[in-house]
Amino acid sequence: MKSTSIYVPSQALFLSRRRAMSASGAAVLSASAVALLGGRDALAAGAKVSAQELEADVRILNTALGAELEAVAAYQVGAESGLLSKAVLPIAVTFQGHHKEHAAAIASTVQKLGGKPVASKEKYQFPVEKLKVEADVLRFAAGLERGAISAYLGAVPLFADRTLAQVAASILGDEAMHWAVLRQVLGEAPVPSAFMS
């Protein structure tokens, strides 16, 4: 029986995403950035933020945008791999769509804040050589989603503004649903424990 090597992102990847999202615990999105992200331009116009807070918001948003663009590219690799069954492919495409929506909203917000949105990389370093069967692709995607969960778990408690915590928790919930669905498709317990860490 041939064994397959399955890519599972390391704890270092989870921690690097957590640090990126929390910006080393020092910066959070301003209320105006969250309002813009939610499409509430009028609310954003009423929020008072310093130039320093605005710059920090743009940096944090661009970090999040970079992660969303990477997720879009990763799901594209999975979709084009030819390894996903007709039952699973629509799930991957749906999840990719969620990440595209997040990326578009974040890019628009960066522009509204006067920043320049980061662009997707020309080439990402995904472990495509290790993707041999459908389960490999699903575990790769689940690992990326788990990394996003870890990042948001680290970021939520850092927000001083409760609205910001709500936005981060909402995104965390979306990533957790993706992770649970991918685990379910893999035949694993979708919710393996009562707590996330």
Side-chain angles (χ1 to χ4, degrees), residues 14 39 59 67-68 88-89 118 124 152 161 180 191:
F14 295 150
R59 279 194 307 274
E68 292 293 346
V88 171
L89 182 58
V118 296
Y124 290 93
Y152 283 109
D161 185 324
V191 184

Side-chain angles (χ1 to χ4, degrees), residues 106-194:
I106 293 169
S108 174
T109 302
V110 168
Q111 288 177 327
K112 288 177 184 177
L113 292 174
K116 181 180 178 184
V118 296
S120 61
K121 294 180 182 180
E122 284 188 34
K123 183 172 176 82
Y124 290 93
Q125 298 300 316
F126 297 131
V128 293
E129 69 283 352
K130 295 183 179 182
L131 305 179
K132 307 289 186 193
V133 295
E134 181 176 89
D136 297 341
V137 176
L138 295 174
R139 283 198 176 86
F140 170 61
L144 292 175
E145 298 290 1
R146 180 65 180 91
I149 293 166
S150 180
Y152 283 109
L153 278 172
V156 167
L158 299 176
F159 291 114
D161 185 324
R162 299 321 304 156
T163 303
L164 300 176
Q166 287 177 329
V167 171
S170 174
I171 295 170
L172 186 155
D174 183 55
E175 308 299 359
M177 286 186 287
H178 291 176
W179 184 61
V181 168
L182 291 167
R183 287 180 57 85
Q184 178 75 35
V185 173
L186 281 163
E188 300 172 0
V191 184
S193 66

Side-chain angles (χ1 to χ4, degrees), residues 9-32:
S10 67
Q11 184 66 18
L13 175 61
F14 295 150
L15 293 176
S16 70
R17 284 182 180 219
R18 179 177 282 183
R19 280 192 293 274
M21 291 300 292
S22 68
S24 300
V28 296
L29 292 174
S30 70
S32 65

